[in-house]
Amino acid sequence: MAKKLVIKVTAGADAPERCSQAFTVAAVGVASGVEVSLWLTGESSWFALPGRAAEFELPHAAPLPDLIESILAAGKITLCTQCAARREITEKDVIDGVRIAGAQVFVSEAMADGTQALVY
């Protein structure tokens, strides 16, 4: 079993089920003791901003703010550098604990020994 899990979520409100699945899997991974790194790209980038996750609704799904809180408690959330730039999001704009980093960091994390990478 992989000791680390790197998850890239590309969907946001445009594909709510896929988006929710990524956050749910990340939160379950953290709760299971797996080292989790969740990457926000594309439309999921907006969830790096305070209050945006509270606007997300999907019946029968855990609230996104709760999932984000649990992931940040023991894992990492990263906003893609280019995605942030395209949306004019800076480090001072994001939720405490969210970092902004680029493809080099993603590849480094995804290629580490004992790592499973998933894309939603």
Side-chain angles (χ1 to χ4, degrees):
M1 180 167 122
K3 303 282 187 216
K4 299 176 188 170
L5 185 59
V6 176
I7 300 170
K8 180 185 277 194
V9 55
T10 62
D14 59 324
E17 288 184 309
R18 191 162 31 111
C19 176
S20 180
Q21 289 171 0
F23 282 90
T24 300
V25 168
V28 168
V30 166
S32 300
V34 175
E35 184 179 324
V36 174
S37 179
L38 178 68
W39 283 73
L40 307 177
T41 67
E43 286 303 300
S44 71
S45 299
W46 296 113
F47 298 126
L49 298 174
R52 291 303 279 273
E55 299 171 6
F56 181 86
E57 292 185 15
L58 182 63
H60 310 293
L64 209 52
D66 294 349
L67 296 174
I68 290 172
E69 183 179 326
S70 68
I71 296 163
L72 284 173
K76 292 187 280 192
I77 297 181
T78 305
L79 172 59
C80 162
T81 301
Q82 290 182 15
C83 300
R86 280 190 282 276
R87 290 159 181 82
E88 299 180 355
I89 300 171
T90 67
E91 294 208 355
K92 68 178 192 264
D93 299 320
V94 299
I95 298 166
D96 285 342
V98 172
R99 68 179 176 164
I100 297 176
Q104 181 180 1
V105 176
F106 176 80
V107 170
S108 176
E109 286 186 6
M111 296 305 295
D113 288 339
T115 300
Q116 173 68 52
L118 303 172
V119 178
Y120 286 88

